[in-house]
Amino acid sequence: MEIAIIGASGYTGGELMRLLLNHPSAEVVAATSRKLDGTPVASVHPHLRGLTDLAFRNIGAGDIDADFVFLAVPHTAAMKVAGTLVERGIRTVDLSADYRLSKEIYEKTYGVTHEAYFEAPYGLTELHRDEVRGASFVANPGCFPTGATLAAAPLAHLAHTIIYDSKTGVTGAGNTPSATTHYPNVGDNFSAYKWTSHRHLAEMKQEAARLGSTARCYFTPHLLPVNRGILTTAHILLNEPMESKEVETLYRKFYEREFFVRYQKPTLAAVRGTNFCDVAVESEGDRVVAVSTIDNLVKGASGQAIQNMNLMCGFAEGAGLCFAGMSP
Ligand SMILES: NC(=O)c1ccc[n+]([C@@H]2O[C@H](COP(=O)([O-])OP(=O)(O)OC[C@H]3O[C@@H](n4cnc5c(N)ncnc54)[C@H](OP(=O)(O)O)[C@@H]3O)[C@@H](O)[C@H]2O)c1
């Protein structure tokens, strides 16, 4: 299957190219960039040198000649091309936020008018597999909502409050430099940001509701001095106390058939570069602490996007994604 990546010069675009090198049934044939037309992909993604001969092309959705497209562009840029891809019958996974929420919540959360809204399955694969399978357009989840929702999903319906406390690596902000991501401000440092107002809270609330939860949800992100990874501590406050053993058993059972969600003490190192989400839980009466880790660029973006592509196209769900990280 021939793949085009729109926005291939960015972090998630580069990660899609890296991961798809090992896909048994898919090959990247086009990598777009508005600014780098004609430049070899390896000049921006040096880890891919010798593995791809592609050069970036500045082409639009109307000129894409491929069976499948990944949109790895910022929100509002995706909505400008999604309609063209759908009209042309090209199956697509959108990594941006443009199709993750209802139109009303999207416009309120992102403060923009949605110019080309349609409903799309939300590609948190483990929870929405049936909607993703065979779909022609899938909205890939945000990185924080992926790790947070997987941490809370088994118990969300029994909680009155869920507080997500997440720590992320710097690549979550994309490849455009800013004062926040400037090395002296990040290295040897640790800080909270958007303490009460991060946009990803809307997705977390949406997913909690879909899990049958009426819990109030809160979210505070923090910036870690690492490149990749998100560790989320979900404080799940239950309506009724539960035995610790029962809580652990419930988590283990919930994920026992999920290859990409492993029940073990989560660390960033164990999931780095992989599509795994590690989850574990400890509890005390009505207070459950669930911790998850993901690589924001893989399970939090490009890996999960490929997992969704696999389901959309009838490939094995883990095709191209079943490999270990590096340890130590
Ligand atoms: N980084 C993460 O951990 C992560 C996780 C989950 C989801 N996402 C989402 O995935 C998308 C891509 O994220 P990223 O981190 O890869 O961003 P990025 O590193 O900033 O790359 C985005 C790429 O899109 C292209 N682009 C920028 N503005 C554009 C426009 N108006 N029209 C067309 N192309 C445009 C740029 O390429 P040119 O300027 O060369 O054209 C750029 O290389 C975003 O929507 C982001 O929210 C990111």
Side-chain angles (χ1 to χ4, degrees):
M1 191 169 73
E2 298 194 331
I3 310 272
I5 299 169
I6 299 187
S9 62
Y11 286 151
T12 60
E15 195 66 354
L16 281 163
M17 297 201 68
R18 178 180 79 90
L19 295 168
L20 286 166
L21 287 172
N22 295 312
H23 197 287
S25 312
E27 186 188 358
V28 179
V29 297
T32 85
S33 161
R34 299 161 308 162
K35 296 180 195 142
L36 297 165
D37 193 26
T39 308
V41 163
S43 64
V44 174
H45 301 304
H47 57 303
L48 302 181
R49 189 168 298 279
L51 300 167
T52 177
D53 293 331
L54 283 179
F56 293 112
R57 292 161 67 201
N58 182 12
I59 51 170
D63 297 317
I64 293 282
D65 184 14
D67 306 305
F68 198 100
V69 165
F70 290 99
L71 288 173
V73 294
H75 72 280
T76 70
M79 70 171 82
K80 292 192 170 67
V81 298
T84 304
L85 296 169
V86 171
E87 274 164 30
R88 295 188 59 211
I90 301 177
R91 286 170 291 180
T92 301
V93 171
D94 175 19
L95 280 76
S96 87
D98 281 353
Y99 294 90
R100 295 178 194 158
L101 300 162
S102 72
K103 183 172 191 292
E104 187 192 354
I105 304 282
Y106 174 85
E107 292 185 342
K108 196 170 146 209
T109 306
Y110 286 85
V112 292
T113 302
H114 204 305
E115 297 163 8
Y117 188 77
F118 54 83
E119 280 187 13
Y122 183 75
L124 187 42
T125 327
E126 283 72 16
L127 302 184
H128 301 292
R129 191 170 274 124
D130 290 343
E131 297 147 69
V132 170
R133 190 174 281 119
S136 54
F137 189 101
V138 166
N140 216 55
C143 48
F144 285 122
T146 294
T149 302
L150 289 173
L155 270 181
H157 63 297
L158 299 178
H160 62 78
T161 305
I162 306 173
I163 301 165
Y164 297 112
D165 176 320
S166 300
K167 284 90 179 167
T168 183
V170 189
T171 54
N175 70 359
T176 305
S178 72
T180 310
T181 60
H182 188 46
Y183 184 79
N185 295 334
V186 180
D188 199 19
N189 201 0
F190 185 54
S191 57
Y193 65 103
K194 295 184 181 161
W195 297 8
T196 60
S197 62
H198 196 285
R199 290 156 165 175
H200 282 177
L201 178 58
E203 281 175 60
M204 295 169 190
K205 287 181 174 173
Q206 176 177 275
E207 283 306 283
R210 285 175 178 163
L211 286 159
S213 176
T214 53
R216 285 170 297 172
C217 297
Y218 304 100
F219 170 51
T220 302
H222 304 74
L223 191 59
L224 278 174
V226 301
N227 281 336
R228 286 168 181 255
I230 296 176
L231 184 147
T232 295
T233 306
H235 300 269
I236 305 167
L237 307 182
L238 300 176
N239 296 320
E240 306 283 344
M242 268 175 94
E243 292 292 331
S244 297
K245 197 70 209 153
E246 198 187 341
V247 172
E248 186 185 325
T249 304
L250 192 127
Y251 266 73
R252 286 184 182 276
K253 270 193 108 54
F254 195 89
Y255 288 123
E256 70 187 350
R257 285 162 198 254
E258 296 298 344
F259 179 78
F260 289 116
V261 184
R262 307 182 294 196
Y263 190 95
Q264 67 173 338
K265 190 175 175 188
T267 66
L268 293 186
V271 297
R272 188 172 297 129
T274 80
N275 199 50
F276 289 108
C277 173
D278 285 354
V279 182
V281 70
E282 285 187 16
S283 69
E284 184 190 38
D286 60 358
R287 174 177 174 243
V288 176
V289 180
V291 178
S292 72
T293 50
I294 58 170
D295 184 320
N296 56 294
L297 291 177
V298 190
K299 183 59 177 165
S302 307
Q304 185 154 241
I306 293 168
Q307 195 180 349
N308 287 324
M309 176 197 81
N310 287 337
L311 281 177
M312 293 163 75
C313 299
F315 302 138
E317 186 175 322
L321 297 169
C322 298
F323 51 84
M326 289 178 297
S327 180

